[in-house]
Amino acid sequence: AVMLGDRGGISDELTELFRSVGVGHILAISGLHISIVAGLLLIGLYRVPINPWMRGLFVIGMLWLFVLLVGAPLSAVRASFFWTIGLLAFQMRALVSLWTVYVMTAVGFISVSPSVLHDVGFQLSFLAVGGIGLSLFFVKARKTWQQVVLVSAGAFIATLPIISYHFGIVSVLGILANVIIVPTTSLFLTVATVVLLASFFFPTVALLGSVIVRILFQFMVWAATIVERLPYSVIHYTTPGWVATSWYVILAVLLLWLLRLQKRRPQEFWV
């Protein structure tokens, strides 16, 4: 259910648990899912003797097929646009900055359907990616655990007012929950995808792998439960519109000031 974004296979209690601690995004098809699918496809085709362009186009085609199969949620479409532009640029040996891809994708969405600006999924998806990109651009993290913290912090800061405005929840320990659960989710989705593919050819191996998948998911639930039980981990508060607007205005001013201190331009943050 988590791998395919099927909320019908997940109880309302579990959905509320993950949402309350700030990791509800793992239950929806997002950039994490799309990136894992793309990564596995690229690894699987790495040594296949085919034209690089054919390899890239095949991966792009499979990504979009996957997106259609899971109902084409906005977050998955956005991630697929990112991968499509990135893979095409790579094949053309062109350096494309993250922000170029970001703006092209956003403009594409809005051009097709201007009303998408009012969609909470669109808002959260693009704000989270923007927050992650900016955090990695401004803070140089050399170690993996530092990058995990930065990714979680960037997404948390960028989406906090919108989540509170729409859902009336402030996940005080959202960064902690994401640092623990998101890496586990990456491993969970990777193993689950491999198990799914192995089930067609090696049923016994797939059965053993499914045990690992179950253990990983139970760990995610356990970690979310522990975080939720900590004092003041979740505050029920609906942010007024003017407060959310002020939050982003302050962030924009802060980012402009930080840009003046940077020795590199945002355009140099490559995909």
Side-chain angles (χ1 to χ4, degrees):
V2 176
M3 188 170 64
L4 298 177
D6 180 15
R7 296 294 182 91
I10 302 173
S11 67
D12 293 337
E13 292 79 9
L14 194 56
T15 300
E16 184 59 30
L17 170 64
F18 284 138
R19 181 180 293 169
S20 65
V21 297
V23 294
H25 56 87
I26 70 171
L27 301 179
I29 299 297
S30 62
L32 178 62
H33 297 70
I34 299 300
S35 295
I36 288 174
V37 172
L40 289 174
L41 285 171
L42 289 171
I43 292 173
L45 295 172
Y46 178 71
R47 293 191 177 278
V48 177
I50 58 175
N51 183 281
W53 267 102
M54 293 299 296
R55 182 185 297 114
L57 292 176
F58 178 78
V59 171
I60 291 171
M62 293 302 293
L63 282 181
W64 284 105
L65 177 61
F66 176 73
V67 169
L68 292 175
L69 288 175
V70 298
L74 280 173
S75 55
V77 175
R78 185 266 307 157
S80 293
F81 264 115
F82 269 49
W83 271 98
T84 298
I85 296 172
L87 286 172
L88 290 176
F90 177 78
Q91 294 301 332
M92 292 186 291
R93 301 296 186 269
L95 285 175
V96 179
S97 73
L98 172 65
W99 309 115
T100 299
V101 178
Y102 188 85
V103 171
M104 288 176 64
T105 305
V107 169
F109 269 92
I110 298 170
S111 299
V112 173
S113 177
S115 62
V116 76
L117 283 170
H118 303 287
D119 185 277
V120 63
F122 175 85
Q123 295 169 8
L124 290 175
S125 180
F126 276 85
L127 284 172
V129 172
I132 291 170
L134 287 169
S135 64
L136 293 174
F137 174 74
F138 285 116
V139 183
K140 294 181 180 180
R142 302 188 182 279
K143 297 182 179 180
T144 302
W145 70 267
Q146 293 174 333
Q147 294 175 352
V148 171
V149 173
L150 276 178
V151 167
S152 300
F156 177 80
I157 294 171
T159 59
L160 178 60
I162 294 296
I163 292 175
S164 177
Y165 177 79
H166 286 288
F167 304 110
I169 294 176
V170 177
S171 303
V172 179
L173 299 179
I175 296 177
L176 173 63
N178 275 273
V179 167
I180 298 172
I181 296 174
V182 170
T184 308
T185 305
S186 300
L187 180 59
F188 166 82
L189 291 173
T190 302
V191 175
T193 303
V194 173
V195 168
L196 179 63
L197 295 174
S199 64
F200 295 103
F201 309 101
F202 309 103
T204 304
V205 175
L207 183 61
L208 294 174
S210 65
V211 175
I212 300 175
V213 171
R214 183 175 181 81
I215 292 173
L216 289 171
F217 186 72
Q218 288 178 336
F219 173 79
M220 291 156 56
V221 175
W222 174 81
T225 303
I226 293 298
V227 172
E228 185 191 38
R229 290 177 179 175
L230 293 175
Y232 307 107
S233 63
V234 179
I235 297 176
H236 294 276
Y237 173 73
T238 301
T239 301
W242 69 269
V243 173
T245 302
S246 300
W247 176 276
Y248 290 113
V249 170
I250 293 172
L251 280 182
V253 173
L254 178 61
L255 290 174
L256 289 174
W257 176 71
L258 289 174
L259 278 174
R260 294 174 61 88
L261 304 179
Q262 283 285 321
K263 295 181 179 180
R264 56 175 180 163
R265 298 177 302 165
Q267 292 84 350
E268 296 174 21
F269 189 44
W270 313 113
V271 172

